[in-house]
Amino acid sequence: DANGKVVYPTSSTKPSTSTNTKPDITYCVYTTKWLPSVKNTTDYAGIQKTIISGFAAKASKGTLKYRVHTKNGKWLSWVSKYDTNNWDTGCAGIKGVIIDAIQMKLEGVSGYEVRYRVSTTSNSSYLPWVTGTSDYAGIFGSAIDCVQAEIVKV
């Protein structure tokens, strides 16, 4: 300016930062093999009327933790990795054992939660959406065939 001070141009729009961007969720299921991964709710993971025995998911930000319940069994341990080649710690499930419920939670990203739903082999309609771990998606005793998930603002 006229007084010799450096004047920086101002902008009415702030540059976007990664903290303002909605995280994505990527997930896939195992039937007789790992099916292609799906991002957000653009599609669903699974094949109608085909049981799943494995599930893997990850978020683009924060840590996505998930676990599955096996038919006539119990909740398996929480998983926070996404590695379909590692059935011990990289995905949830036991190869060949039917999954009847899923739980997911997103940690480390304020203002967002994971929302998910499933359908079962006995009902082609999706069950209601579940957010976080307030509930679970599935019906104990009914095999899951399809999963949909997204990350939403809270």
Side-chain angles (χ1 to χ4, degrees):
D1 72 1
N3 296 329
K5 293 180 184 172
V6 176
V7 177
Y8 296 97
T10 59
S11 170
S12 60
T13 60
K14 292 181 179 176
S16 67
T17 60
S18 61
T19 56
N20 293 336
T21 309
K22 180 176 148 183
D24 291 316
I25 182 171
T26 302
Y27 52 101
C28 63
V29 298
Y30 184 91
T31 56
T32 56
K33 64 180 181 179
W34 285 104
L35 299 180
S37 62
V38 176
K39 186 185 267 190
N40 302 320
T41 54
T42 54
D43 201 354
Y44 59 87
I47 300 170
Q48 289 184 334
K49 306 291 183 209
T50 303
I51 64 160
I52 66 169
S53 62
F55 179 75
K58 63 183 175 182
S60 60
K61 292 182 191 138
T63 302
L64 184 74
K65 292 187 175 179
Y66 56 96
R67 67 181 181 167
V68 299
H69 187 273
T70 56
K71 185 175 179 183
N72 302 320
K74 61 180 183 176
W75 286 105
L76 301 181
S77 298
W78 287 97
V79 178
S80 59
K81 295 180 181 165
Y82 184 97
D83 181 356
T84 56
N85 293 314
N86 182 343
W87 280 83
D88 292 327
T89 60
C91 59
I94 302 168
K95 198 181 288 189
V97 177
I98 296 169
I99 292 172
D100 62 5
I102 293 177
Q103 271 191 320
M104 290 189 255
K105 59 185 173 182
L106 181 64
E107 297 178 345
V109 183
S110 62
Y112 292 96
E113 280 189 304
V114 62
R115 186 173 91 132
Y116 51 101
R117 65 182 182 173
V118 300
S119 63
T120 65
T121 56
S122 59
N123 182 354
S124 59
S125 305
Y126 278 95
L127 298 172
W129 287 100
V130 175
T131 303
T133 56
S134 60
D135 200 354
Y136 59 86
I139 300 170
F140 288 162
S142 294
I144 290 174
D145 60 359
C146 298
V147 179
Q148 261 195 324
E150 64 184 344
I151 295 175
V152 295
K153 264 188 176 293
V154 285

